[in-house]
Amino acid sequence: GAGVSQTPSNKVTEKGKYVELRCDPISGHTALYWYRQSLGQGPEFLIYFQGTGAADDSGLPNDRFFAVRPEGSVSTLKIQRTERGDSAVYLCASSLAVGITYEQYFGPGTRLTVT
Amino acid sequence: AQSVTQPDIHITVSEGASLELRCNYSYGATPYLFWYVQSPGQGLQLLLKYFSGDTLVQGIKGFEAEFKRSQSSFNLRKPSVHWSDAAEYFCAVPDKLIFGTGTRLQVFP
């Protein structure tokens, strides 16, 4: 079946602009995670959803970052007033449910470049 | 807080040689541990996981890992590396995954 998909695959934007990154999870997966991977680093947790609600947003770096999942499926990560330090690969993952026994399946990521 | 450390940033091996990638964890209780692989242009893929029980865990693509509590380690091994194994490897702890910094594996023919 289809895996996790993310669009766009690449996004170049100017400093100060607003961007939206989209994640389509595997059908039926109730948990959805966002991570950020900077160059030469491992992915860092940003936020996860259980259904429509953000269960844990403790990894969001500041209030310029926001994510939604209005219908419990597709999620959008929104970044306002982008800064050059936001440049990274943003990864999305989904799992059947929340919990360590449920494998997270990752999408290919969106590479964000802020110029 | 849980954390994992991967001491080796970059490892180079010849095709057919054995491989061991190191991972050290910091956690008071019995940890849950994962190894992921990230190939160019592909998403992160789970190689194997340790929850409890047998300390030698078998994974996909011929990989295995051994949990050693005395050394706080969960090293990834493969007896004979193939050129297609060239990738970035990450050790992680759950549940909102906390990843190590990764080890880049390069394979020479």
Side-chain angles (χ1 to χ4, degrees), chain A residues 33 35 37 40-45 48 56 58 89 91 98-108, chain B residues 9 32 34 36 38 41-47 49 51 88 90 93-102:
Chain A
Y33 302 79
Y35 296 85
Q37 186 174 20
Q41 301 295 316
E44 294 178 306
F45 168 79
Y48 87 85
D56 185 343
S58 62
V89 176
L91 299 170
V98 173
I100 61 174
T101 59
Y102 294 97
E103 180 178 345
Q104 293 185 32
Y105 295 84
F106 283 82
Chain B
I9 296 173
Y32 300 108
F34 302 88
Y36 281 83
Q38 187 175 38
Q42 300 187 22
L44 281 157
Q45 183 179 22
L46 181 65
L47 282 176
K49 58 190 176 186
F51 284 170
E88 188 92 23
F90 295 94
V93 290
D95 49 339
K96 45 189 186 183
L97 293 169
I98 301 170
F99 289 87
T101 51

mmCIF file of all heavy atoms in Angstrom, chain A residues 33 35 37 40-45 48 56 58 89 91 98-108, chain B residues 9 32 34 36 38 41-47 49 51 88 90 93-102:
data_model
loop_
_atom_site.group_PDB
_atom_site.id
_atom_site.type_symbol
_atom_site.label_atom_id
_atom_site.label_comp_id
_atom_site.label_asym_id
_atom_site.label_seq_id
_atom_site.Cartn_x
_atom_site.Cartn_y
_atom_site.Cartn_z
ATOM 1 N N TYR A 33 3.552 12.093 13.495
ATOM 2 C CA TYR A 33 4.687 12.772 14.130
ATOM 3 C C TYR A 33 5.383 13.677 13.119
ATOM 4 O O TYR A 33 5.498 13.337 11.941
ATOM 5 C CB TYR A 33 5.710 11.742 14.619
ATOM 6 C CG TYR A 33 5.184 10.724 15.600
ATOM 7 C CD1 TYR A 33 4.434 9.625 15.165
ATOM 8 C CD2 TYR A 33 5.457 10.826 16.956
ATOM 9 C CE1 TYR A 33 3.954 8.681 16.061
ATOM 10 C CE2 TYR A 33 4.994 9.877 17.864
ATOM 11 C CZ TYR A 33 4.241 8.819 17.405
ATOM 12 O OH TYR A 33 3.781 7.881 18.305
ATOM 13 N N TYR A 35 9.179 15.615 12.672
ATOM 14 C CA TYR A 35 10.564 15.746 13.123
ATOM 15 C C TYR A 35 11.277 16.737 12.213
ATOM 16 O O TYR A 35 10.878 16.950 11.069
ATOM 17 C CB TYR A 35 11.301 14.395 13.042
ATOM 18 C CG TYR A 35 10.755 13.309 13.947
ATOM 19 C CD1 TYR A 35 9.690 12.506 13.533
ATOM 20 C CD2 TYR A 35 11.313 13.064 15.201
ATOM 21 C CE1 TYR A 35 9.188 11.512 14.350
ATOM 22 C CE2 TYR A 35 10.818 12.063 16.020
ATOM 23 C CZ TYR A 35 9.754 11.294 15.589
ATOM 24 O OH TYR A 35 9.262 10.310 16.407
ATOM 25 N N GLN A 37 15.246 17.519 10.793
ATOM 26 C CA GLN A 37 16.613 16.996 10.697
ATOM 27 C C GLN A 37 17.518 18.038 10.067
ATOM 28 O O GLN A 37 17.411 18.327 8.883
ATOM 29 C CB GLN A 37 16.637 15.696 9.881
ATOM 30 C CG GLN A 37 17.988 15.018 9.870
ATOM 31 C CD GLN A 37 17.947 13.665 9.178
ATOM 32 O OE1 GLN A 37 17.054 13.365 8.391
ATOM 33 N NE2 GLN A 37 18.937 12.827 9.462
ATOM 34 N N GLY A 40 23.732 16.924 9.159
ATOM 35 C CA GLY A 40 24.690 16.237 10.022
ATOM 36 C C GLY A 40 24.147 15.823 11.372
ATOM 37 O O GLY A 40 24.910 15.398 12.243
ATOM 38 N N GLN A 41 22.857 15.930 11.543
ATOM 39 C CA GLN A 41 22.238 15.591 12.829
ATOM 40 C C GLN A 41 21.176 14.510 12.657
ATOM 41 O O GLN A 41 20.716 14.251 11.551
ATOM 42 C CB GLN A 41 21.582 16.834 13.440
ATOM 43 C CG GLN A 41 22.537 17.978 13.694
ATOM 44 C CD GLN A 41 23.576 17.611 14.736
ATOM 45 O OE1 GLN A 41 23.266 17.019 15.774
ATOM 46 N NE2 GLN A 41 24.821 17.953 14.464
ATOM 47 N N GLY A 42 20.788 13.918 13.756
ATOM 48 C CA GLY A 42 19.662 13.010 13.742
ATOM 49 C C GLY A 42 18.365 13.803 13.782
ATOM 50 O O GLY A 42 18.354 14.978 14.153
ATOM 51 N N PRO A 43 17.271 13.169 13.405
ATOM 52 C CA PRO A 43 15.981 13.868 13.476
ATOM 53 C C PRO A 43 15.646 14.265 14.911
ATOM 54 O O PRO A 43 15.952 13.532 15.856
ATOM 55 C CB PRO A 43 14.986 12.814 12.958
ATOM 56 C CG PRO A 43 15.805 11.881 12.135
ATOM 57 C CD PRO A 43 17.142 11.826 12.797
ATOM 58 N N GLU A 44 15.008 15.430 15.041
ATOM 59 C CA GLU A 44 14.575 15.918 16.353
ATOM 60 C C GLU A 44 13.060 16.049 16.359
ATOM 61 O O GLU A 44 12.473 16.615 15.449
ATOM 62 C CB GLU A 44 15.208 17.276 16.656
ATOM 63 C CG GLU A 44 16.710 17.233 16.821
ATOM 64 C CD GLU A 44 17.281 18.621 17.069
ATOM 65 O OE1 GLU A 44 17.005 19.520 16.262
ATOM 66 O OE2 GLU A 44 17.989 18.792 18.090
ATOM 67 N N PHE A 45 12.453 15.537 17.407
ATOM 68 C CA PHE A 45 11.007 15.552 17.546
ATOM 69 C C PHE A 45 10.476 16.974 17.629
ATOM 70 O O PHE A 45 11.031 17.825 18.321
ATOM 71 C CB PHE A 45 10.619 14.779 18.810
ATOM 72 C CG PHE A 45 9.187 14.961 19.230
ATOM 73 C CD1 PHE A 45 8.183 14.272 18.590
ATOM 74 C CD2 PHE A 45 8.856 15.832 20.257
ATOM 75 C CE1 PHE A 45 6.861 14.438 18.976
ATOM 76 C CE2 PHE A 45 7.552 16.004 20.654
ATOM 77 C CZ PHE A 45 6.548 15.308 20.014
ATOM 78 N N TYR A 48 3.535 15.632 18.008
ATOM 79 C CA TYR A 48 2.791 14.489 17.505
ATOM 80 C C TYR A 48 1.320 14.643 17.804
ATOM 81 O O TYR A 48 0.900 15.323 18.746
ATOM 82 C CB TYR A 48 3.370 13.158 17.996
ATOM 83 C CG TYR A 48 2.890 12.640 19.332
ATOM 84 C CD1 TYR A 48 1.707 11.894 19.416
ATOM 85 C CD2 TYR A 48 3.641 12.828 20.477
ATOM 86 C CE1 TYR A 48 1.291 11.382 20.638
ATOM 87 C CE2 TYR A 48 3.232 12.320 21.694
ATOM 88 C CZ TYR A 48 2.058 11.598 21.775
ATOM 89 O OH TYR A 48 1.647 11.088 22.990
ATOM 90 N N ASP A 56 1.374 16.243 22.030
ATOM 91 C CA ASP A 56 2.639 16.710 22.606
ATOM 92 C C ASP A 56 3.306 17.616 21.590
ATOM 93 O O ASP A 56 3.694 17.151 20.529
ATOM 94 C CB ASP A 56 3.535 15.517 22.941
ATOM 95 C CG ASP A 56 4.827 15.903 23.643
ATOM 96 O OD1 ASP A 56 5.223 17.091 23.614
ATOM 97 O OD2 ASP A 56 5.478 14.997 24.211
ATOM 98 N N SER A 58 5.877 19.665 22.568
ATOM 99 C CA SER A 58 7.016 20.169 23.341
ATOM 100 C C SER A 58 8.275 20.398 22.524
ATOM 101 O O SER A 58 9.180 21.101 22.959
ATOM 102 C CB SER A 58 7.327 19.212 24.493
ATOM 103 O OG SER A 58 7.693 17.937 23.988
ATOM 104 N N VAL A 89 15.588 19.414 6.831
ATOM 105 C CA VAL A 89 14.634 18.463 6.260
ATOM 106 C C VAL A 89 13.576 18.187 7.314
ATOM 107 O O VAL A 89 13.907 17.834 8.450
ATOM 108 C CB VAL A 89 15.318 17.159 5.830
ATOM 109 C CG1 VAL A 89 14.280 16.156 5.336
ATOM 110 C CG2 VAL A 89 16.359 17.435 4.744
ATOM 111 N N LEU A 91 10.613 15.905 8.498
ATOM 112 C CA LEU A 91 10.157 14.531 8.315
ATOM 113 C C LEU A 91 8.825 14.323 9.012
ATOM 114 O O LEU A 91 8.585 14.838 10.105
ATOM 115 C CB LEU A 91 11.178 13.553 8.910
ATOM 116 C CG LEU A 91 12.575 13.571 8.306
ATOM 117 C CD1 LEU A 91 13.525 12.730 9.157
ATOM 118 C CD2 LEU A 91 12.553 13.050 6.885
ATOM 119 N N VAL A 98 -0.552 5.340 19.079
ATOM 120 C CA VAL A 98 0.532 5.886 19.895
ATOM 121 C C VAL A 98 1.046 4.804 20.831
ATOM 122 O O VAL A 98 0.269 4.077 21.428
ATOM 123 C CB VAL A 98 0.033 7.084 20.714
ATOM 124 C CG1 VAL A 98 1.111 7.540 21.688
ATOM 125 C CG2 VAL A 98 -0.367 8.227 19.792
ATOM 126 N N GLY A 99 2.356 4.731 20.963
ATOM 127 C CA GLY A 99 2.935 3.752 21.879
ATOM 128 C C GLY A 99 4.187 3.169 21.289
ATOM 129 O O GLY A 99 4.332 3.066 20.071
ATOM 130 N N ILE A 100 5.093 2.747 22.161
ATOM 131 C CA ILE A 100 6.410 2.330 21.682
ATOM 132 C C ILE A 100 6.370 1.046 20.880
ATOM 133 O O ILE A 100 7.293 0.747 20.132
ATOM 134 C CB ILE A 100 7.387 2.182 22.851
ATOM 135 C CG1 ILE A 100 6.896 1.126 23.840
ATOM 136 C CG2 ILE A 100 7.598 3.517 23.550
ATOM 137 C CD1 ILE A 100 7.890 0.824 24.936
ATOM 138 N N THR A 101 5.320 0.262 21.021
ATOM 139 C CA THR A 101 5.262 -0.985 20.270
ATOM 140 C C THR A 101 4.774 -0.782 18.843
ATOM 141 O O THR A 101 4.797 -1.717 18.043
ATOM 142 C CB THR A 101 4.350 -2.000 20.974
ATOM 143 O OG1 THR A 101 3.040 -1.442 21.090
ATOM 144 C CG2 THR A 101 4.884 -2.332 22.357
ATOM 145 N N TYR A 102 4.338 0.431 18.534
ATOM 146 C CA TYR A 102 3.828 0.699 17.188
ATOM 147 C C TYR A 102 4.919 1.351 16.357
ATOM 148 O O TYR A 102 5.395 2.442 16.670
ATOM 149 C CB TYR A 102 2.592 1.595 17.243
ATOM 150 C CG TYR A 102 1.406 0.929 17.899
ATOM 151 C CD1 TYR A 102 1.102 1.151 19.240
ATOM 152 C CD2 TYR A 102 0.592 0.061 17.170
ATOM 153 C CE1 TYR A 102 0.029 0.526 19.843
ATOM 154 C CE2 TYR A 102 -0.484 -0.558 17.764
ATOM 155 C CZ TYR A 102 -0.760 -0.329 19.094
ATOM 156 O OH TYR A 102 -1.820 -0.946 19.695
ATOM 157 N N GLU A 103 5.292 0.704 15.275
ATOM 158 C CA GLU A 103 6.364 1.217 14.428
ATOM 159 C C GLU A 103 5.949 2.510 13.758
ATOM 160 O O GLU A 103 4.820 2.641 13.266
ATOM 161 C CB GLU A 103 6.742 0.189 13.365
ATOM 162 C CG GLU A 103 7.869 0.650 12.441
ATOM 163 C CD GLU A 103 8.278 -0.391 11.431
ATOM 164 O OE1 GLU A 103 7.903 -1.569 11.598
ATOM 165 O OE2 GLU A 103 8.979 -0.028 10.457
ATOM 166 N N GLN A 104 6.874 3.454 13.733
ATOM 167 C CA GLN A 104 6.654 4.696 13.002
ATOM 168 C C GLN A 104 7.198 4.530 11.590
ATOM 169 O O GLN A 104 8.336 4.109 11.402
ATOM 170 C CB GLN A 104 7.357 5.870 13.696
ATOM 171 C CG GLN A 104 6.750 6.212 15.054
ATOM 172 C CD GLN A 104 7.377 7.432 15.668
ATOM 173 O OE1 GLN A 104 7.805 8.356 14.979
ATOM 174 N NE2 GLN A 104 7.415 7.468 16.998
ATOM 175 N N TYR A 105 6.383 4.872 10.617
ATOM 176 C CA TYR A 105 6.758 4.811 9.210
ATOM 177 C C TYR A 105 6.996 6.234 8.722
ATOM 178 O O TYR A 105 6.124 7.088 8.867
ATOM 179 C CB TYR A 105 5.652 4.144 8.383
ATOM 180 C CG TYR A 105 5.432 2.693 8.749
ATOM 181 C CD1 TYR A 105 4.611 2.339 9.816
ATOM 182 C CD2 TYR A 105 6.068 1.674 8.037
ATOM 183 C CE1 TYR A 105 4.416 1.013 10.159
ATOM 184 C CE2 TYR A 105 5.884 0.342 8.381
ATOM 185 C CZ TYR A 105 5.060 0.022 9.445
ATOM 186 O OH TYR A 105 4.880 -1.295 9.792
ATOM 187 N N PHE A 106 8.157 6.440 8.152
ATOM 188 C CA PHE A 106 8.579 7.787 7.789
ATOM 189 C C PHE A 106 8.345 8.084 6.322
ATOM 190 O O PHE A 106 8.494 7.211 5.454
ATOM 191 C CB PHE A 106 10.067 7.979 8.102
ATOM 192 C CG PHE A 106 10.345 8.186 9.560
ATOM 193 C CD1 PHE A 106 10.429 7.109 10.432
ATOM 194 C CD2 PHE A 106 10.519 9.467 10.069
ATOM 195 C CE1 PHE A 106 10.667 7.299 11.778
ATOM 196 C CE2 PHE A 106 10.772 9.664 11.420
ATOM 197 C CZ PHE A 106 10.833 8.577 12.273
ATOM 198 N N GLY A 107 8.034 9.346 6.056
ATOM 199 C CA GLY A 107 7.998 9.842 4.700
ATOM 200 C C GLY A 107 9.388 10.255 4.240
ATOM 201 O O GLY A 107 10.330 10.256 5.037
ATOM 202 N N PRO A 108 9.523 10.644 2.964
ATOM 203 C CA PRO A 108 10.829 11.013 2.412
ATOM 204 C C PRO A 108 11.312 12.379 2.857
ATOM 205 O O PRO A 108 12.485 12.709 2.680
ATOM 206 C CB PRO A 108 10.593 10.979 0.908
ATOM 207 C CG PRO A 108 9.139 11.265 0.756
ATOM 208 C CD PRO A 108 8.467 10.665 1.943
ATOM 209 N N ILE B 9 31.121 9.100 13.661
ATOM 210 C CA ILE B 9 30.396 9.926 12.710
ATOM 211 C C ILE B 9 30.392 9.278 11.326
ATOM 212 O O ILE B 9 29.400 9.315 10.600
ATOM 213 C CB ILE B 9 31.017 11.326 12.632
ATOM 214 C CG1 ILE B 9 30.884 12.034 13.977
ATOM 215 C CG2 ILE B 9 30.401 12.155 11.513
ATOM 216 C CD1 ILE B 9 31.620 13.356 14.052
ATOM 217 N N TYR B 32 14.126 0.676 25.847
ATOM 218 C CA TYR B 32 13.686 0.196 24.546
ATOM 219 C C TYR B 32 14.606 0.887 23.531
ATOM 220 O O TYR B 32 14.874 2.077 23.643
ATOM 221 C CB TYR B 32 12.227 0.565 24.291
ATOM 222 C CG TYR B 32 11.293 -0.009 25.314
ATOM 223 C CD1 TYR B 32 10.692 0.805 26.265
ATOM 224 C CD2 TYR B 32 11.016 -1.367 25.340
ATOM 225 C CE1 TYR B 32 9.827 0.281 27.218
ATOM 226 C CE2 TYR B 32 10.160 -1.903 26.283
ATOM 227 C CZ TYR B 32 9.562 -1.078 27.219
ATOM 228 O OH TYR B 32 8.727 -1.589 28.160
ATOM 229 N N PHE B 34 16.097 1.194 19.316
ATOM 230 C CA PHE B 34 15.837 0.992 17.902
ATOM 231 C C PHE B 34 17.085 1.316 17.090
ATOM 232 O O PHE B 34 17.913 2.145 17.488
ATOM 233 C CB PHE B 34 14.719 1.926 17.403
ATOM 234 C CG PHE B 34 13.407 1.783 18.104
ATOM 235 C CD1 PHE B 34 13.151 2.512 19.251
ATOM 236 C CD2 PHE B 34 12.427 0.956 17.609
ATOM 237 C CE1 PHE B 34 11.927 2.401 19.903
ATOM 238 C CE2 PHE B 34 11.203 0.834 18.248
ATOM 239 C CZ PHE B 34 10.957 1.568 19.399
ATOM 240 N N TYR B 36 17.592 2.575 13.025
ATOM 241 C CA TYR B 36 16.988 2.980 11.777
ATOM 242 C C TYR B 36 18.076 3.188 10.736
ATOM 243 O O TYR B 36 19.208 3.557 11.062
ATOM 244 C CB TYR B 36 16.235 4.303 11.934
ATOM 245 C CG TYR B 36 14.866 4.189 12.576
ATOM 246 C CD1 TYR B 36 14.735 4.139 13.953
ATOM 247 C CD2 TYR B 36 13.717 4.145 11.792
ATOM 248 C CE1 TYR B 36 13.484 4.037 14.549
ATOM 249 C CE2 TYR B 36 12.455 4.052 12.375
ATOM 250 C CZ TYR B 36 12.357 4.000 13.741
ATOM 251 O OH TYR B 36 11.111 3.905 14.329
ATOM 252 N N GLN B 38 18.779 5.299 6.996
ATOM 253 C CA GLN B 38 18.298 6.357 6.095
ATOM 254 C C GLN B 38 19.162 6.344 4.846
ATOM 255 O O GLN B 38 20.321 6.756 4.886
ATOM 256 C CB GLN B 38 18.363 7.716 6.790
ATOM 257 C CG GLN B 38 17.735 8.851 6.011
ATOM 258 C CD GLN B 38 17.725 10.140 6.815
ATOM 259 O OE1 GLN B 38 18.672 10.446 7.538
ATOM 260 N NE2 GLN B 38 16.643 10.902 6.731
ATOM 261 N N GLY B 41 17.659 9.744 -0.484
ATOM 262 C CA GLY B 41 16.398 9.862 -1.191
ATOM 263 C C GLY B 41 15.279 9.016 -0.649
ATOM 264 O O GLY B 41 14.180 9.001 -1.208
ATOM 265 N N GLN B 42 15.540 8.293 0.440
ATOM 266 C CA GLN B 42 14.502 7.440 1.018
ATOM 267 C C GLN B 42 14.229 7.830 2.451
ATOM 268 O O GLN B 42 15.033 8.465 3.115
ATOM 269 C CB GLN B 42 14.923 5.977 0.941
ATOM 270 C CG GLN B 42 15.153 5.474 -0.471
ATOM 271 C CD GLN B 42 15.408 3.982 -0.500
ATOM 272 O OE1 GLN B 42 15.038 3.264 0.422
ATOM 273 N NE2 GLN B 42 16.030 3.509 -1.550
ATOM 274 N N GLY B 43 13.100 7.446 2.911
ATOM 275 C CA GLY B 43 12.737 7.736 4.296
ATOM 276 C C GLY B 43 13.469 6.831 5.265
ATOM 277 O O GLY B 43 14.057 5.825 4.884
ATOM 278 N N LEU B 44 13.414 7.181 6.522
ATOM 279 C CA LEU B 44 13.965 6.353 7.579
ATOM 280 C C LEU B 44 13.223 5.023 7.643
ATOM 281 O O LEU B 44 12.001 4.984 7.568
ATOM 282 C CB LEU B 44 13.832 7.059 8.923
ATOM 283 C CG LEU B 44 14.851 8.136 9.218
ATOM 284 C CD1 LEU B 44 14.302 9.096 10.262
ATOM 285 C CD2 LEU B 44 16.138 7.506 9.716
ATOM 286 N N GLN B 45 13.983 3.954 7.779
ATOM 287 C CA GLN B 45 13.379 2.626 7.845
ATOM 288 C C GLN B 45 13.862 1.910 9.090
ATOM 289 O O GLN B 45 15.067 1.929 9.396
ATOM 290 C CB GLN B 45 13.747 1.822 6.596
ATOM 291 C CG GLN B 45 13.110 0.440 6.537
ATOM 292 C CD GLN B 45 13.486 -0.318 5.276
ATOM 293 O OE1 GLN B 45 14.493 -0.055 4.632
ATOM 294 N NE2 GLN B 45 12.663 -1.277 4.922
ATOM 295 N N LEU B 46 12.955 1.284 9.797
ATOM 296 C CA LEU B 46 13.307 0.551 10.995
ATOM 297 C C LEU B 46 14.047 -0.736 10.629
ATOM 298 O O LEU B 46 13.557 -1.541 9.849
ATOM 299 C CB LEU B 46 12.050 0.216 11.794
ATOM 300 C CG LEU B 46 12.254 -0.545 13.097
ATOM 301 C CD1 LEU B 46 13.027 0.302 14.103
ATOM 302 C CD2 LEU B 46 10.902 -0.976 13.670
ATOM 303 N N LEU B 47 15.242 -0.911 11.195
ATOM 304 C CA LEU B 47 16.025 -2.129 10.970
ATOM 305 C C LEU B 47 15.688 -3.194 12.012
ATOM 306 O O LEU B 47 15.518 -4.360 11.675
ATOM 307 C CB LEU B 47 17.513 -1.827 11.067
ATOM 308 C CG LEU B 47 18.184 -1.157 9.887
ATOM 309 C CD1 LEU B 47 19.641 -0.863 10.215
ATOM 310 C CD2 LEU B 47 18.089 -2.018 8.633
ATOM 311 N N LYS B 49 14.526 -3.675 16.596
ATOM 312 C CA LYS B 49 14.161 -3.049 17.856
ATOM 313 C C LYS B 49 14.384 -4.035 19.002
ATOM 314 O O LYS B 49 14.304 -5.248 18.820
ATOM 315 C CB LYS B 49 12.704 -2.599 17.849
ATOM 316 C CG LYS B 49 11.719 -3.720 17.579
ATOM 317 C CD LYS B 49 10.319 -3.166 17.334
ATOM 318 C CE LYS B 49 9.354 -4.292 16.962
ATOM 319 N NZ LYS B 49 8.014 -3.765 16.569
ATOM 320 N N PHE B 51 13.043 -4.646 22.948
ATOM 321 C CA PHE B 51 12.132 -4.270 24.012
ATOM 322 C C PHE B 51 12.488 -4.980 25.314
ATOM 323 O O PHE B 51 12.517 -4.377 26.377
ATOM 324 C CB PHE B 51 10.683 -4.596 23.627
ATOM 325 C CG PHE B 51 10.082 -3.630 22.632
ATOM 326 C CD1 PHE B 51 8.872 -3.905 22.028
ATOM 327 C CD2 PHE B 51 10.730 -2.455 22.303
ATOM 328 C CE1 PHE B 51 8.313 -3.012 21.121
ATOM 329 C CE2 PHE B 51 10.185 -1.562 21.392
ATOM 330 C CZ PHE B 51 8.966 -1.840 20.804
ATOM 331 N N GLU B 88 23.011 6.217 6.107
ATOM 332 C CA GLU B 88 23.163 6.788 7.446
ATOM 333 C C GLU B 88 22.372 5.911 8.403
ATOM 334 O O GLU B 88 21.234 5.534 8.124
ATOM 335 C CB GLU B 88 22.611 8.209 7.464
ATOM 336 C CG GLU B 88 22.873 8.981 8.729
ATOM 337 C CD GLU B 88 24.149 9.807 8.676
ATOM 338 O OE1 GLU B 88 24.584 10.126 7.567
ATOM 339 O OE2 GLU B 88 24.701 10.135 9.746
ATOM 340 N N PHE B 90 20.950 5.322 12.370
ATOM 341 C CA PHE B 90 20.602 6.030 13.591
ATOM 342 C C PHE B 90 20.122 5.056 14.657
ATOM 343 O O PHE B 90 19.278 4.200 14.395
ATOM 344 C CB PHE B 90 19.487 7.044 13.336
ATOM 345 C CG PHE B 90 19.859 8.168 12.424
ATOM 346 C CD1 PHE B 90 19.591 8.109 11.066
ATOM 347 C CD2 PHE B 90 20.497 9.300 12.923
ATOM 348 C CE1 PHE B 90 19.931 9.137 10.220
ATOM 349 C CE2 PHE B 90 20.848 10.342 12.089
ATOM 350 C CZ PHE B 90 20.561 10.265 10.733
ATOM 351 N N VAL B 93 15.754 5.967 20.872
ATOM 352 C CA VAL B 93 14.935 5.496 21.991
ATOM 353 C C VAL B 93 13.539 6.091 21.852
ATOM 354 O O VAL B 93 13.383 7.185 21.303
ATOM 355 C CB VAL B 93 15.544 5.863 23.361
ATOM 356 C CG1 VAL B 93 16.806 5.042 23.612
ATOM 357 C CG2 VAL B 93 15.859 7.349 23.456
ATOM 358 N N PRO B 94 12.534 5.391 22.352
ATOM 359 C CA PRO B 94 11.154 5.878 22.187
ATOM 360 C C PRO B 94 10.770 6.876 23.270
ATOM 361 O O PRO B 94 11.540 7.124 24.174
ATOM 362 C CB PRO B 94 10.346 4.589 22.331
ATOM 363 C CG PRO B 94 11.166 3.745 23.256
ATOM 364 C CD PRO B 94 12.590 4.083 23.005
ATOM 365 N N ASP B 95 9.464 7.345 23.128
ATOM 366 C CA ASP B 95 8.527 6.912 22.130
ATOM 367 C C ASP B 95 8.321 8.017 21.087
ATOM 368 O O ASP B 95 8.100 7.688 19.906
ATOM 369 C CB ASP B 95 7.176 6.514 22.729
ATOM 370 C CG ASP B 95 6.635 7.538 23.687
ATOM 371 O OD1 ASP B 95 7.426 8.337 24.202
ATOM 372 O OD2 ASP B 95 5.459 7.520 23.943
ATOM 373 N N LYS B 96 8.323 9.271 21.522
ATOM 374 C CA LYS B 96 8.553 10.281 20.493
ATOM 375 C C LYS B 96 10.050 10.152 20.273
ATOM 376 O O LYS B 96 10.862 10.531 21.105
ATOM 377 C CB LYS B 96 8.167 11.669 20.998
ATOM 378 C CG LYS B 96 8.668 11.985 22.389
ATOM 379 C CD LYS B 96 8.069 13.272 22.899
ATOM 380 C CE LYS B 96 8.694 13.648 24.239
ATOM 381 N NZ LYS B 96 8.094 14.855 24.830
ATOM 382 N N LEU B 97 10.414 9.583 19.190
ATOM 383 C CA LEU B 97 11.768 9.049 19.051
ATOM 384 C C LEU B 97 12.854 10.100 19.311
ATOM 385 O O LEU B 97 12.789 11.222 18.810
ATOM 386 C CB LEU B 97 11.945 8.457 17.659
ATOM 387 C CG LEU B 97 11.099 7.209 17.383
ATOM 388 C CD1 LEU B 97 11.134 6.846 15.902
ATOM 389 C CD2 LEU B 97 11.588 6.044 18.217
ATOM 390 N N ILE B 98 13.842 9.702 20.076
ATOM 391 C CA ILE B 98 15.046 10.494 20.317
ATOM 392 C C ILE B 98 16.186 9.785 19.617
ATOM 393 O O ILE B 98 16.515 8.645 19.959
ATOM 394 C CB ILE B 98 15.328 10.626 21.819
ATOM 395 C CG1 ILE B 98 14.147 11.302 22.524
ATOM 396 C CG2 ILE B 98 16.622 11.411 22.048
ATOM 397 C CD1 ILE B 98 14.234 11.259 24.027
ATOM 398 N N PHE B 99 16.749 10.460 18.621
ATOM 399 C CA PHE B 99 17.758 9.847 17.778
ATOM 400 C C PHE B 99 19.163 10.270 18.190
ATOM 401 O O PHE B 99 19.379 11.370 18.706
ATOM 402 C CB PHE B 99 17.561 10.270 16.311
ATOM 403 C CG PHE B 99 16.357 9.678 15.652
ATOM 404 C CD1 PHE B 99 15.117 10.305 15.751
ATOM 405 C CD2 PHE B 99 16.451 8.511 14.908
ATOM 406 C CE1 PHE B 99 13.996 9.770 15.129
ATOM 407 C CE2 PHE B 99 15.340 7.967 14.285
ATOM 408 C CZ PHE B 99 14.114 8.596 14.395
ATOM 409 N N GLY B 100 20.116 9.405 17.900
ATOM 410 C CA GLY B 100 21.504 9.794 17.982
ATOM 411 C C GLY B 100 21.869 10.644 16.771
ATOM 412 O O GLY B 100 21.036 10.908 15.902
ATOM 413 N N THR B 101 23.123 11.044 16.723
ATOM 414 C CA THR B 101 23.561 11.933 15.645
ATOM 415 C C THR B 101 23.845 11.185 14.359
ATOM 416 O O THR B 101 24.044 11.800 13.318
ATOM 417 C CB THR B 101 24.818 12.711 16.052
ATOM 418 O OG1 THR B 101 25.784 11.784 16.546
ATOM 419 C CG2 THR B 101 24.487 13.734 17.130
ATOM 420 N N GLY B 102 23.849 9.863 14.423
ATOM 421 C CA GLY B 102 23.995 9.073 13.212
ATOM 422 C C GLY B 102 25.423 8.696 12.891
ATOM 423 O O GLY B 102 26.383 9.364 13.289
#
